[in-house]
Amino acid sequence: MSILFVGGWATEETQFPRLASISRFLVPFNGFSSEELPALVGGGGNILIGWSTGAHMLLKECSHLFSSYDHVLLIAPFLSFIDSFPERLVRRMIAGMDKNPAEVVQSFHKNCAEEADLNFDPAQVPVLIEGLEYLIKSRVDVKPEIAADNLILIHADDDRIVRQKAFDQVLEKIPGAEVRLIDGGHKISESTLLNIIEGL
């Protein structure tokens, strides 16, 4: 089984160690831009997964490639990040990256319901800022012809980052997709995600 996983802002492989060991694991802005994602996704395969910013990028840049996968899972997708997470807070995060980036990232992961203690790499500050600036500006214009027969949209009931309103905006654009509502916060637990994958 081939799995391609596109993570969210400040994602680390240690958040999904088992998944990282069996998938091609991509982290936005860490070696590729949104516009370069289609070239990485284009080969097709069994399962394509996007979480948060990764789900947003896949909707924006790669929806025409969804049909080349058996299953496409978009976890906590959004059309515009600042429709859910206020722009003033994102700009506050950007300002904080100049003063105490480790604290900004740690606070974000806490709001995502991440339970693990993650190591912060100061070398990542430039790409993290790039990602936050992207999230302020980026919007998805979903085309009516988007393939939905293999698409599963997943959202957690206590997601403090991508709130229900933002998720519902995605549902309105892709009414034919399967929807799965799960327990938890913005960061889906690895066990839950692996159970979904095993059930496909």
Side-chain angles (χ1 to χ4, degrees):
M1 177 185 294
S2 66
I3 302 173
L4 196 158
F5 177 84
V6 187
W9 183 80
T11 297
E12 298 181 21
E13 290 191 12
T14 52
Q15 293 181 274
F16 301 95
R18 286 183 290 166
L19 179 64
S21 70
I22 60 171
S23 70
R24 186 178 182 191
F25 198 98
L26 302 178
V27 178
F29 316 108
N30 192 352
F32 71 93
S33 66
S34 177
E35 296 80 7
E36 294 169 326
L37 189 56
L40 300 173
V41 171
N46 298 122
I47 302 176
L48 174 63
I49 305 171
W51 171 43
S52 192
T53 298
H56 172 82
M57 286 183 166
L58 288 174
L59 271 177
K60 183 174 184 177
E61 307 289 354
C62 303
S63 62
H64 62 292
L65 299 172
F66 287 175
S67 60
S68 62
Y69 286 83
D70 297 330
H71 304 280
V72 178
L73 280 59
L74 300 182
I75 307 160
F78 53 86
L79 302 180
S80 169
F81 188 66
I82 59 175
D83 284 348
S84 176
F85 197 87
E87 181 177 345
R88 59 181 173 78
L89 296 183
V90 182
R91 294 197 180 279
R92 187 181 301 171
M93 290 173 68
I94 293 172
M97 294 298 286
D98 288 333
K99 300 172 184 176
N100 193 338
E103 183 178 312
V104 171
V105 174
Q106 181 182 27
S107 176
F108 178 77
H109 282 307
K110 183 178 180 181
N111 283 328
C112 290
E114 174 58 70
E115 298 178 354
D117 292 326
L118 304 175
N119 294 321
F120 175 73
D121 180 3
Q124 293 297 309
V125 169
V127 296
L128 292 174
I129 292 174
E130 176 189 349
L132 292 172
E133 292 173 341
Y134 169 88
L135 288 171
I136 289 175
K137 298 179 292 186
S138 183
R139 287 187 169 273
V140 174
D141 179 20
V142 177
K143 304 296 188 297
E145 66 272 15
I146 183 172
D149 56 340
N150 64 339
L151 183 58
I152 302 174
L153 304 177
I154 302 169
H155 191 247
D157 59 358
D158 194 29
D159 191 332
R160 298 180 182 179
I161 306 299
V162 177
R163 300 183 185 276
Q164 188 65 46
K165 176 184 176 182
F167 183 71
D168 289 344
Q169 289 173 346
V170 177
L171 299 185
E172 290 173 5
K173 296 291 186 179
I174 319 174
E178 179 182 345
V179 178
R180 297 197 188 184
L181 303 178
I182 61 174
D183 297 329
H186 182 65
K187 189 249 177 177
I188 187 172
S189 74
E190 184 172 54
S191 60
T192 297
L193 179 53
L194 290 175
N195 284 338
I196 292 172
I197 292 171
E198 290 171 4
L200 295 176

